[in-house]
Amino acid sequence: MEYDWNFAIVWDYRMVLLRGLGQTVLLAGITIVLSTILGLVLATLRDSRIPLVYPVLSTFVSVVRAVPVLVLLVWMYYCLPILTGLKMNGFTTVTIALSIYSAAFYSEIFRGGIRSIDRGMIEAGQSVGMTRGQVFQRIVGPLAFQRIFPPFVNQCILVLKNTTLAGYVAVPELLYLGQQISVRTFRPLELLTAVAVLFIVTIVPLTLLAEHIEKTFHNKYYR
Amino acid sequence: MPLLEVRDLHKSYGALDVLKGIDLTVDPGEIVGFIGASGSGKSTLLRCMNHMEVPTKGIVMLEGEIVGVTHKGDRLVPRPARDLSQQRRKMAMVFQHFNLWPHKTTLENVMEGPVTVQKIPKAEARDRALAALKRVGLKEKADTYPSRLSGGQQQRVGIARALALQPQVILFDEPTSALDPELVNEVLNVIRSLGEDGITLVIVTHEMRFAREVCDKVIFLDEGRVADMGSPDHIFGTTENPRTRAFVQNYFG
Ligand SMILES: Nc1ncnc2c1ncn2[C@@H]1O[C@H](COP(=O)(O)OP(=O)(O)OP(=O)(O)O)[C@@H](O)[C@H]1O
Ligand SMILES: [Mg+2]
């Protein structure tokens, strides 16, 4: 089959596509900030000694992780308003759904990173007289950061990809707009290719930067 | 007054009684060695001394003050974190696996205690840290990260980190048992020289020859009790205690 490619259409709609990319990045940005904060809170609280906090939060994390994120989103968009009378627009709903969903993963990443720090590092801190806070600030925090960084970046990339689900509730992110234009212009091949390329040029530099930082840590401290 | 005193110290983990009533004293300038079979509670005792493990019963006294807890009426209550910090600073510890912080240079490892805990100005702490590194023969490694040092060098940095705190006593938990045999002596020589300078040392060790040469007093721990205690000549020679004799014989053949 000969297909007559016409990428001029992509150029014609460049502003729309860029607006979609803008929306995608905004959605991802807000979600990453919110879910990082929520993830930190979850990670800290789960190890707290307050009764009931641990079982409640760990159940929460397990439940959230077991639900496909699209199901969570659609449920929050269609069912939650009926159950609670609370009405939110698509953007807000996606942000909240993605943030809750991602927070469960971020919290596991943070917890795992902190727990992976050798007890000996902590004991050395105690032995010179550091308080718990100082041990965290000077020793465990920085060491855990190095461990957490790679999976953290990974999770951020997943968030960026997951924003494509926002189209299900009519938020005009990149994929949603790309599909709309392709329906209108009968040029899905060009437009969907353009969507894919825009995702790639956004995500690949992030991956490279993350790898570079990781390598810098390694070369500086462990070689 | 002894520098360090352990009174009727008990420690159990659940049903497991690890320490079953330890009494001992360490005088200023004294070098005290602890020997005993694996699992006899040597590490646990050391960790109770600086309150990294909280005793089940009994107390540890440093310079006449109870470590980690204080009297409130006739009850013992935990001390404020600041107090415990200062007490721990006075009992620096050297670990079997060095436990240097990999994200800090040698110098930063040594400076960390003085700066963070003692709040000494950076420049002064730096001088103090460099002096401590010089003391263990590693001044030229000040800007190196621990991963690039040999085990023997790492342990000497561990000793410098302890020295920089200007402690009243240094607690060593098997400082050479994670080292390749050819690296053991460089560390033992540093420890020996600290003793010659009059620093009070408490050393858990499996190096019997070293204990015999260097210690003023050797304590044999057996199943969570002080089974025998005395001069090296007593422990490694004249003791009548059959358990001590059997244990020591194992090493000297
Ligand atoms: N945190 C803990 N929880 C439970 N049991 C412990 C704990 N720490 C130590 N033990 C137990 O206490 C006993 C004494 O341990 P300890 O490490 O003090 O022995 P040790 O004399 O230092 O031995 P080694 O020569 O092997 O270092 C062991 O049976 C050990 O399993
Ligand atoms: Mg031990």
Side-chain angles (χ1 to χ4, degrees):
Chain A
M1 188 191 95
E2 274 300 298
Y3 182 75
D4 186 16
W5 292 92
N6 176 12
F7 276 104
I9 200 82
V10 173
W11 184 249
D12 292 343
Y13 283 94
R14 64 187 183 280
M15 292 322 285
V16 182
L17 289 173
L18 286 179
R19 195 156 22 92
L21 182 61
Q23 192 78 169
T24 293
V25 169
L26 182 67
L27 202 52
I30 298 177
T31 302
I32 287 169
V33 171
L34 285 182
S35 50
T36 299
I37 295 170
L38 193 57
L40 279 174
V41 171
L42 280 178
T44 319
L45 283 184
R46 271 187 73 177
D47 287 327
S48 89
R49 279 167 224 157
I50 308 165
L52 277 183
V53 167
Y54 182 81
V56 169
L57 290 183
S58 63
T59 310
F60 172 77
V61 169
S62 311
V63 167
V64 170
R65 295 212 308 174
V67 178
V69 58
L70 182 54
V71 173
L72 180 65
L73 171 61
V74 171
W75 185 86
M76 280 184 62
Y77 193 67
Y78 294 106
C79 306
L80 200 60
I82 297 171
L83 291 177
T84 62
L86 199 72
K87 275 216 169 56
M88 294 180 292
N89 65 23
F91 191 90
T92 311
T93 313
V94 178
T95 309
I96 295 176
L98 279 183
S99 295
I100 291 175
Y101 179 74
S102 313
F105 289 87
Y106 281 115
S107 79
E108 290 298 285
I109 290 171
F110 297 149
R111 237 162 59 98
I114 290 167
R115 290 183 154 208
S116 73
I117 304 309
D118 176 14
R119 265 218 69 77
M121 297 296 109
I122 299 169
E123 290 179 357
Q126 293 177 328
S127 80
V128 302
M130 287 185 196
T131 59
R132 281 169 61 113
Q134 287 169 335
V135 169
F136 190 85
Q137 188 202 337
R138 310 285 304 170
I139 312 295
V140 177
L143 289 174
F145 179 79
Q146 294 172 16
R147 299 268 172 91
I148 287 167
F149 185 74
F152 176 80
V153 171
N154 253 335
Q155 188 59 39
C156 292
I157 288 169
L158 287 180
V159 169
L160 206 61
K161 292 179 180 176
N162 280 340
T163 57
T164 48
L165 299 174
Y168 278 91
V169 293
V171 172
E173 46 73 47
L174 182 54
L175 177 60
Y176 181 80
L177 289 182
Q179 280 175 321
Q180 291 226 317
I181 307 166
S182 41
V183 169
R184 203 177 311 157
T185 58
F186 304 106
R187 286 283 169 190
L189 289 189
E190 288 83 350
L191 286 158
L192 294 180
T193 306
V195 167
V197 168
L198 282 173
F199 267 106
I200 292 168
V201 299
T202 313
I203 290 173
V204 168
L206 284 181
T207 322
L208 293 179
L209 179 68
E211 272 171 20
H212 173 75
I213 294 175
E214 202 185 330
K215 205 170 284 165
T216 310
F217 282 151
H218 183 82
N219 289 345
K220 186 165 176 203
Y221 300 123
Y222 302 103
R223 218 181 48 184
Chain B
M1 181 173 73
L3 177 64
L4 193 65
E5 189 173 352
V6 174
R7 277 193 211 153
D8 192 31
L9 191 81
H10 292 251
K11 177 70 190 177
S12 23
Y13 296 104
L16 178 69
D17 293 331
V18 177
L19 300 178
K20 305 167 185 165
I22 305 275
D23 290 278
L24 59 92
T25 59
V26 178
D27 288 328
E30 203 174 25
I31 304 178
V32 178
F34 284 92
I35 60 172
S38 181
S40 57
K42 305 180 297 295
S43 297
T44 305
L45 174 57
L46 221 57
R47 297 159 55 81
C48 282
M49 285 182 185
N50 73 354
H51 216 68
M52 253 154 39
E53 295 289 349
V54 179
T56 316
K57 187 182 161 207
I59 54 172
V60 176
M61 310 260 288
L62 177 73
E63 298 180 308
E65 287 186 347
I66 309 176
V67 175
V69 292
T70 185
H71 279 293
K72 187 179 180 188
D74 44 336
R75 282 190 320 132
L76 288 174
V77 294
R79 277 181 189 277
R82 292 250 154 266
D83 285 14
L84 178 58
S85 281
Q86 292 312 319
Q87 289 184 320
R88 282 190 175 144
R89 194 277 297 169
K90 294 182 195 165
M91 296 185 272
M93 197 167 216
V94 173
F95 299 88
Q96 180 175 1
H97 297 286
F98 331 134
N99 297 359
L100 299 181
W101 300 304
H103 61 305
K104 294 181 184 293
T105 63
T106 296
L107 182 66
E108 288 165 348
N109 265 275
V110 180
M111 279 173 68
E112 187 60 39
V115 172
T116 307
V117 178
Q118 293 180 277
K119 312 277 187 217
I120 287 168
K122 273 243 165 75
E124 197 185 325
R126 193 187 153 81
D127 290 345
R128 198 198 266 193
L130 284 171
L133 282 172
K134 189 163 173 224
R135 186 77 180 62
V136 300
L138 286 174
K139 201 175 168 192
E140 75 284 2
K141 297 286 185 190
D143 296 319
T144 307
Y145 285 94
S147 65
R148 278 166 227 176
L149 300 176
S150 73
Q153 290 172 330
Q154 290 191 44
Q155 191 58 297
R156 281 147 66 198
V157 174
I159 294 171
R161 177 169 68 184
L163 277 175
L165 297 167
Q166 303 187 335
Q168 310 300 311
V169 50
I170 304 180
L171 313 174
F172 296 81
D173 192 359
E174 299 193 32
T176 58
S177 53
L179 295 175
D180 293 336
E182 70 272 19
L183 302 176
V184 167
N185 273 327
E186 66 181 67
V187 172
L188 291 183
N189 288 338
V190 169
I191 299 175
R192 184 180 287 122
S193 79
L194 300 182
E196 285 160 3
D197 282 1
I199 301 177
T200 313
L201 308 176
V202 171
I203 310 170
V204 171
T205 187
H206 286 293
E207 298 284 337
M208 295 302 148
R209 228 168 280 279
F210 177 78
R212 185 164 66 179
E213 283 168 30
V214 170
C215 293
D216 301 310
K217 179 159 87 190
V218 178
I219 296 175
F220 173 53
L221 277 193
D222 189 32
E223 294 180 353
R225 290 198 174 85
V226 174
D228 204 352
M229 164 156 57
S231 66
D233 285 345
H234 168 79
I235 294 287
F236 298 108
T238 58
T239 184
E240 303 277 315
N241 185 318
R243 309 267 310 194
T244 317
R245 295 186 78 94
F247 180 78
V248 166
Q249 215 127 71
N250 237 328
Y251 281 89
F252 291 106

